[in-house]
Amino acid sequence: MSMSIKDLIREKVLLLDGAMGTMIQRYKLTEEDYRGERFKNAKILQKGNNDLLNITKPGLIKEIYTLYLEAGADILSTNSFNTNSISMADYGMEELVYEINRSSALLAKETINKFLNKNNNGPRFVAGSMGPTNKTASMSADVSNPSTRSVTYDDLVNAYYEQARGLIDGGADILLIETVFDTLNAKAALFALENLFDKTGKRIPVMVSGTITDASGRMLTGQTLEAFIISVSHFPLLS
């Protein structure tokens, strides 16, 4: 990039793209579309596994990326919201986590390069999307046993580490820990990123977004927005 995002953000407001899932829904894809030829014999239904489309329908994903670039997005978030070993276990696709994450970033980067070759009004950036997983580290899933947890902190760290490695290897310029509903999950993600940055010697900007679930202004775990910000403020965040 001729100008880093930290430099550019001082000069202009940067626009992040919009939702991926609702865009995919417009195509009314079938089970066969999700499976493609490679996964036609998968034992678990794959319809709804949007992240798998990075492999089975890459052209469709690039088309959505292009639409967001044409609408004015400065930052594309990758189609990798659920591509962690914890969430992908629902589809029996845990072994593909690295490949899917790397593919999602590569597709976004290729789309940006093609767009800039035509328009020459860059730069544009790729944000590796890292969703909250479908587990919570702070709350019990069993009302009769408050100490029960469906996932451990170490499980989350390992899952996020593997996801981030794929996204960075695919060319992500930023990592986006998004839609956080449990701050402990987010802290596991940040810890995983710090470990990865230390190991590789390469550090890229990190963004975090949290989700307020009701009119009280609190997250699902009961934390206020101010408390959430304080909880993650130990990490140097881009936003």
Side-chain angles (χ1 to χ4, degrees), residues 12 30 32 59 74 80 90 106 123 128 131 134 155 160 163-164 171 192 209 215:
K12 60 177 286 189
T30 65
E32 289 70 29
D74 297 292
S80 57
D90 289 350
L106 280 171
N134 53 8
D155 290 337
Y160 281 123
Q163 181 175 27
S209 75

Side-chain angles (χ1 to χ4, degrees), residues 49-184:
N49 187 3
N50 291 341
D51 300 6
L52 189 62
L53 297 172
N54 293 313
I55 296 175
T56 57
K57 289 283 184 183
L60 182 151
I61 299 304
K62 291 173 84 169
E63 185 175 309
I64 294 173
Y65 287 152
T66 300
L67 289 171
Y68 276 124
L69 290 172
E70 290 174 346
D74 297 292
I75 303 170
L76 289 183
S77 51
T78 57
N79 180 40
S80 57
F81 185 84
N82 287 312
T83 312
N84 58 77
S85 58
I86 296 169
S87 298
M88 293 301 282
D90 289 350
Y91 297 101
M93 294 290 178
E94 304 97 313
E95 298 301 317
L96 294 172
V97 164
Y98 174 84
E99 180 183 353
I100 295 175
N101 278 293
R102 184 174 179 274
S103 296
S104 70
L106 280 171
L107 292 176
K109 186 68 77 173
E110 290 169 3
T111 306
I112 286 174
N113 289 338
K114 183 178 180 180
F115 178 81
L116 292 180
N117 283 337
K118 289 183 178 180
N119 298 276
N120 194 29
N121 60 347
R124 299 290 190 275
F125 303 93
V126 176
S129 170
M130 303 172 66
T133 81
N134 53 8
K135 305 287 185 183
T136 170
S138 293
M139 298 187 297
S140 172
D142 182 357
V143 294
S144 62
N145 186 355
S147 66
T148 300
R149 295 292 183 271
S150 56
V151 69
T152 68
Y153 183 84
D154 287 344
D155 290 337
L156 289 166
V157 170
N158 292 335
Y160 281 123
Y161 184 99
E162 183 180 22
Q163 181 175 27
R165 187 170 67 88
L167 290 168
I168 291 175
D169 286 353
D173 305 297
I174 309 159
L175 291 174
L176 170 60
I177 301 168
E178 65 167 309
T179 324
V180 173
F181 62 86
D182 183 342
T183 305
L184 189 56

